[in-house]
């Protein structure tokens, strides 16, 4: 999470309006779903890979690691589409295994469907990865503020985002303190330490929340978190990229 | 010099506690003064400061701002918090936003200022605290010293006449501490009053005009720094300083 956050704050596209970056990612997702071809999914993936690594300057291994994590879950899901299990040998199959009385096989049509699902999902995931790796959450929250999401929801999101990092710091400090006293020396002590840590972390979050409430009140908090809107740059290159993306994905849709 | 903030015979007990945190604490803060509050842990320093910003309301006694008793109504609280700023010990308790700029802008916007005026105040406070180059940075990527200065900027952007600081300088390295005291000095030069609760006897001796000693919820001494450090009896109230003989 810290890696994603660091990339989001430190990439070349950070100053660009999140609405533009969000628009580009949304366009890619819509085209990927609407054109519904494996080639479109692959083209979207390549586009987003290029934009994220070449344009935004995010290291390829970061993009790869995030996509790989999503890809693993996707592969597990599409495997259930590709594989058929039955009592009788299927009429047409690419490959099949007979285990006892059961046949596990891969039919051509189910493989095609699995491929389409995989490529389409990877294309959409890559588009979302482009957005989260180039846009910090505070900018996405700012974007949501602009589209008139209820203030209460925005405030909770902003506070939660900040609290995650404060809590992570507490977690690291407490874990180090436990480790220094052999808290994780054996599996048994590790279980006990982790349980104690969870309880203590909850108490820590609760006390911290009370102190933050006091600190907010001391600066005139009356129930609404009023903050200045963040300012961004508009990039004409995003529009150009959107046009090129649309044209190339439509072309890919015609090819296959 | 005129008295800007006055604590008059304050009594307060935290809910669920049997021991009173304040029992008859009285203190007068004068305009343009550097005040250091000293006392052992649990002496009541933080509780007294929380009363100065109207976070706590005394069960008996009165807090007066420029001679007028504090009003604990919505308008009254806004008036107090515009004039009296409070900086907390742990900046992570104060910094609620992941954006430095948005965190500093919170106080000015609560005062009802326009976005343009708030932006001007943010720039001014950030400049005073030396955090102008951090405005685009995420709060969680700052060092401890940077967080302290951002927290200070968040309070100073409200333009307070009185700044109450609750041990915010503890844990800072000597360079960062010097910078923070430099900010306090610039505020005092502009006519503001700075009251700092601390255990730092060096700061008390070399920076403060007035030293206030608290014990068991009361102010037991308030006198110019030179007088406290010049009088062995008063000096003894501060506890061991550099006399390490007993420990070695």
């Amino acid at each position: 999470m810290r890696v994603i956050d660091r990339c989001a704050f430190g990439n070349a596209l950070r100053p660009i309006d999140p609405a533009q970056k969000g628009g580009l990612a949304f366009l890619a997702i819509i085209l990927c779903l609407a054109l519904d071809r494996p080639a479109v999914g692959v083209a979207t993936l390549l586009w987003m890979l290029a934009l994220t690594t070449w344009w935004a300057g995010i290291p390829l291994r970061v993009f790869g690691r995030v996509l790989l994590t999503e890809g693993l879950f996707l592969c597990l899901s599409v495997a259930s589409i590709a594989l058929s299990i039955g009592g009788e040998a299927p009429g047409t199959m690419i490959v099949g295994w007979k285990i006892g009385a059961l046949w596990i096989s891969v039919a051509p049509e189910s493989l095609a469907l699995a491929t389409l699902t995989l490529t389409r999902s990877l294309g959409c995931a890559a588009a979302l990865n482009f957005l989260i790796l180039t846009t910090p959450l505070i900018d996405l929250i700012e974007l949501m503020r602009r589209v008139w999401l209820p203030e209460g929801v925005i405030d909770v999101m902003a506070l939660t985002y900040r609290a995650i990092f404060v809590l992570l710091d507490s977690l690291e400090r407490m874990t180090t303190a436990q480790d220094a006293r052999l808290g994780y020396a054996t599996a048994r002590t590790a279980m006990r330490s982790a349980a104690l840590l969870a309880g203590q972390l909850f108490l820590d979050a609760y006390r911290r929340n009370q102190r933050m409430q006091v600190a907010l009140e001391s600066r005139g908090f009356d129930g609404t978190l009023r903050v200045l809107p963040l300012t961004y740059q508009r990039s004409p290159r995003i529009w150009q990229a959107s046009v090129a993306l649309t044209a190339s994905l439509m072309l890919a849709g015609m090819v296959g | 010099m005129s008295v800007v903030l006055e604590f008059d015979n304050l009594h307060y007990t935290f809910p669920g506690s049997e021991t009173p945190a304040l029992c008859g604490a009285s203190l007068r803060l004068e305009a343009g003064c550097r005040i250091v509050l000293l006392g052992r842990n649990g002496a009541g320093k933080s509780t007294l400061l929380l009363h100065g910003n109207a976070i706590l309301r005394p069960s008996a006694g009165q807090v007066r701002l420029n001679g007028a008793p504090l009003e604990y109504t919505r308008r009254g609280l806004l008036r107090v918090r515009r004039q009296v700023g409070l900086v907390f010990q742990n900046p992570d308790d104060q910094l609620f936003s992941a954006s430095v700029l948005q965190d500093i802008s919170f106080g000015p916007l609560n005062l009802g200022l326009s976005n343009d005026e708030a932006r001007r105040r943010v720039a001014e406070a950030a400049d005073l605290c030396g955090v102008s180059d951090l405005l685009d940075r995420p709060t969680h990527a700052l060092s401890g010293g940077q967080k302290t200065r951002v927290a200070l900027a968040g309070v100073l952007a409200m333009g307070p006449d009185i700044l109450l600081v609750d041990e915010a300088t503890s844990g800072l390295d000597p360079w960062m501490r010097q910078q923070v005291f430099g900010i306090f000095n610039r505020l005092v030069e502009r006519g503001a009053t700075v009251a700092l609760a601390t255990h730092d006897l060096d700061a008390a001796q070399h920076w403060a005009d007035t030293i206030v000693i608290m014990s068991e919820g009361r102010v037991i001494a308030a006198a110019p720094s030179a007088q406290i450090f010049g009088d062995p009896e008063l000096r003894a109230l501060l506890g061991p300083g550099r006399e390490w003989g007993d420990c070695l």
Side-chain angles (χ1 to χ4, degrees):
Chain A
M1 179 176 167
R2 284 193 197 270
V3 176
I4 293 175
D5 195 69
R6 219 173 10 249
C7 287
F9 274 102
N11 73 87
L13 298 184
R14 164 77 216 276
I16 293 176
D17 197 323
Q20 280 193 299
K21 288 183 278 185
L24 182 63
F26 188 64
L27 177 72
I29 291 171
I30 291 291
L31 286 170
C32 197
L33 293 175
L35 296 172
D36 208 17
R37 293 276 190 281
V40 176
V42 173
T44 311
L45 174 62
L46 293 175
W47 255 100
M48 293 303 138
L49 176 74
L51 290 178
T52 313
T53 55
W54 169 70
W55 196 8
I58 306 280
L60 180 63
R61 65 186 154 74
V62 175
F63 187 87
R65 266 172 59 189
V66 177
L67 196 69
L68 188 70
T69 314
E70 296 156 344
L72 281 174
F73 282 102
L74 274 173
C75 284
L76 287 174
S77 308
V78 296
S80 64
I81 299 174
L83 293 172
S84 310
I85 301 174
E88 292 172 21
T92 54
M93 64 177 178
I94 297 167
V95 64
W97 303 272
K98 191 171 188 305
I99 300 168
L102 286 178
W103 268 95
I104 300 175
S105 60
V106 178
E109 57 273 20
S110 57
L111 182 67
L113 184 62
T115 309
L116 176 63
T117 309
L118 182 69
T119 50
R120 198 172 57 176
S121 306
L122 278 177
C124 293
L128 270 183
N129 291 350
F130 160 75
L131 186 63
I132 62 160
L133 286 169
T134 59
T135 317
L137 201 69
I138 50 169
D139 292 354
L140 292 175
I141 291 172
E142 191 65 34
L143 182 60
M144 290 175 208
R145 202 187 297 276
R146 276 195 243 160
V147 295
W148 298 292
L149 223 70
E151 277 187 358
V153 177
I154 301 278
D155 290 351
V156 169
M157 284 177 70
L159 286 174
T160 307
Y161 177 55
R162 169 85 184 111
I164 285 171
F165 288 96
V166 175
L167 217 59
L168 269 178
D169 285 343
S170 294
L171 177 72
E172 281 167 9
R173 275 199 305 273
M174 287 182 196
T175 314
T176 308
Q178 287 182 322
D179 203 14
R181 287 177 289 158
L182 301 174
Y184 295 93
T186 65
R188 194 182 156 84
T189 54
M191 289 269 280
R192 190 169 167 272
S193 296
L196 283 170
L197 182 72
Q200 201 53 41
L201 208 58
F202 176 76
L203 279 176
D204 187 66
Y206 178 71
R207 290 194 197 111
R208 204 177 278 281
N209 176 48
Q210 283 182 320
R211 292 199 296 268
M212 186 169 275
Q213 175 78 23
V214 168
L216 287 173
E217 279 178 24
S218 78
R219 288 199 283 164
F221 177 61
D222 62 357
T224 308
L225 291 173
R226 293 181 199 86
V227 290
L228 276 176
L230 299 171
T231 49
Y232 303 99
Q233 295 168 10
R234 286 290 174 106
S235 165
R237 290 178 70 192
I238 290 270
W239 301 125
Q240 292 160 7
S242 303
V243 173
L245 174 80
T246 309
S248 58
L249 291 192
M250 289 181 88
L251 194 66
M254 284 188 271
V255 173
Chain B
M1 274 190 277
S2 61
V3 174
V4 282
L5 188 63
E6 188 175 1
F7 303 93
D8 186 8
N9 196 26
L10 299 191
H11 290 257
Y12 185 80
T13 305
F14 281 99
S17 170
E18 287 176 6
T19 319
L22 293 181
C23 41
S26 296
L27 179 66
R28 293 168 148 209
L29 303 186
E30 291 176 342
C33 255
R34 286 179 274 243
I35 300 129
V36 160
L37 278 85
L38 296 170
R40 301 182 69 166
N41 293 330
K45 304 184 294 290
S46 301
T47 314
L48 189 73
L49 296 185
L50 288 171
H51 278 84
N53 186 257
I55 292 290
L56 297 179
R57 188 175 184 169
S59 50
Q62 205 173 52
V63 183
R64 288 188 282 275
L65 181 62
N66 295 317
L70 295 195
E71 288 172 37
Y72 295 87
T73 58
R74 195 173 169 277
R75 282 182 65 182
L77 291 176
L78 203 62
R79 197 161 45 236
V80 177
R81 286 161 192 173
R82 180 165 54 218
Q83 290 186 58
V84 185
L86 180 58
V87 185
F88 293 82
Q89 181 176 8
N90 184 354
D92 275 330
D93 293 339
Q94 190 175 319
L95 302 173
F96 73 92
S97 172
S99 154
V100 170
L101 177 128
Q102 290 191 324
D103 197 282
I104 301 177
S105 71
F106 175 67
L109 289 172
N110 283 335
L111 296 178
L113 302 177
S114 66
N115 280 5
D116 286 343
E117 177 59 14
R119 216 171 271 282
R120 194 189 64 74
R121 292 263 194 120
V122 169
E124 201 176 82
D127 184 46
L128 179 66
C129 297
V131 294
S132 300
D133 56 332
L134 304 178
L135 290 176
D136 287 333
R137 296 264 297 275
T139 315
H140 50 265
L142 304 181
S143 69
Q146 288 171 331
K147 280 182 188 171
T148 299
R149 285 185 292 149
V150 169
L152 194 54
V155 174
L156 296 185
M158 298 176 78
D161 302 320
I162 304 158
L163 184 69
L164 308 177
V165 187
D166 189 3
E167 295 189 32
T169 55
S170 60
L172 297 181
D173 64 46
W175 292 271
M176 200 55 80
R177 199 178 67 143
Q178 190 181 35
Q179 281 190 22
V180 172
F181 276 101
I183 298 167
F184 294 160
N185 285 340
R186 284 200 288 282
L187 287 173
V188 172
E189 281 162 19
R190 293 176 182 186
T193 304
V194 179
L196 166 71
T198 182
H199 296 294
D200 182 351
L201 294 187
D202 270 348
Q205 187 167 8
H206 301 294
W207 178 78
D209 301 318
T210 302
I211 291 179
V212 175
I213 307 173
M214 292 193 70
S215 176
E216 296 178 347
R218 286 188 198 86
V219 173
I220 56 170
S225 172
Q227 191 182 330
I228 298 257
F229 281 94
D231 183 331
E233 252 180 66
L234 288 172
R235 173 66 187 79
L237 294 173
L238 302 179
R242 294 197 177 107
E243 301 88 357
W244 281 81
D246 294 343
C247 312
L248 299 173

